[in-house]
Amino acid sequence: MKRVVHILKGDPFSWKSHEAMRVATATAINSETYFVCVRDGVYFLTRWEPEKLGIDSLEKFWETLDFINLTLVAEEESLHDRGITKNQFVVENVNVMNSEEIEKLIKEADFVFVW
């Protein structure tokens, strides 16, 4: 099985983040997929309301996580710098990794997408 890493590093409240999650969900059907949020991208994993910005709800994505090979990852340093804690995540199954662990994940990936 191929390993795919999607990195969301900015624009967490935009169509781009929604599209990144859509593509990651699609690749997770046949691949070991990681959706890694760094820098401002970590806000994507918090409880925000995309509908208020005219973006489709993310609820269907969160509901499919138990059925596909998608692992959510948040960079520890980015969370700390922004004062975000795990209890602010929209779902419970977010893995927090430091930047060295994420770097290793990227190096071992077959494909990397940066959003």
Side-chain angles (χ1 to χ4, degrees):
M1 185 175 287
K2 298 287 184 184
R3 179 179 283 187
V4 181
V5 175
H6 294 265
I7 303 169
L8 179 65
K9 61 181 186 171
D11 297 330
F13 309 120
S14 72
W15 66 270
K16 185 170 94 171
S17 61
H18 190 278
E19 186 68 7
M21 179 56 90
R22 188 186 70 76
V23 173
T25 301
T27 61
I29 294 170
N30 296 317
S31 304
E32 178 185 350
T33 303
Y34 295 84
F35 191 80
V36 180
C37 297
V38 299
R39 300 184 194 153
D40 284 344
V42 295
Y43 287 110
F44 181 76
L45 300 172
T46 62
R47 300 178 195 283
W48 64 287
E49 299 175 31
E51 306 83 14
K52 289 186 176 180
L53 297 174
I55 300 169
D56 290 340
S57 171
L58 296 166
E59 197 61 37
K60 65 181 176 183
F61 294 118
W62 305 136
E63 292 172 0
T64 63
L65 290 177
D66 292 333
F67 306 105
I68 58 176
N69 298 312
L70 181 64
T71 302
L72 298 175
V73 177
E75 184 190 41
E76 183 177 37
E77 295 86 347
S78 296
L79 294 172
H80 181 267
D81 290 348
R82 288 154 182 81
I84 298 172
T85 60
K86 285 188 88 167
N87 65 348
Q88 292 174 284
F89 292 151
V90 69
V91 293
E92 293 181 15
N93 54 344
V94 176
N95 296 309
V96 177
M97 294 182 175
N98 63 42
S99 56
E100 290 83 20
E101 293 170 312
I102 292 172
E103 180 180 348
K104 183 176 187 270
L105 187 69
I106 293 168
K107 285 182 179 179
E108 294 174 352
D110 296 300
F111 303 99
V112 177
F113 296 86
V114 180
W115 301 89

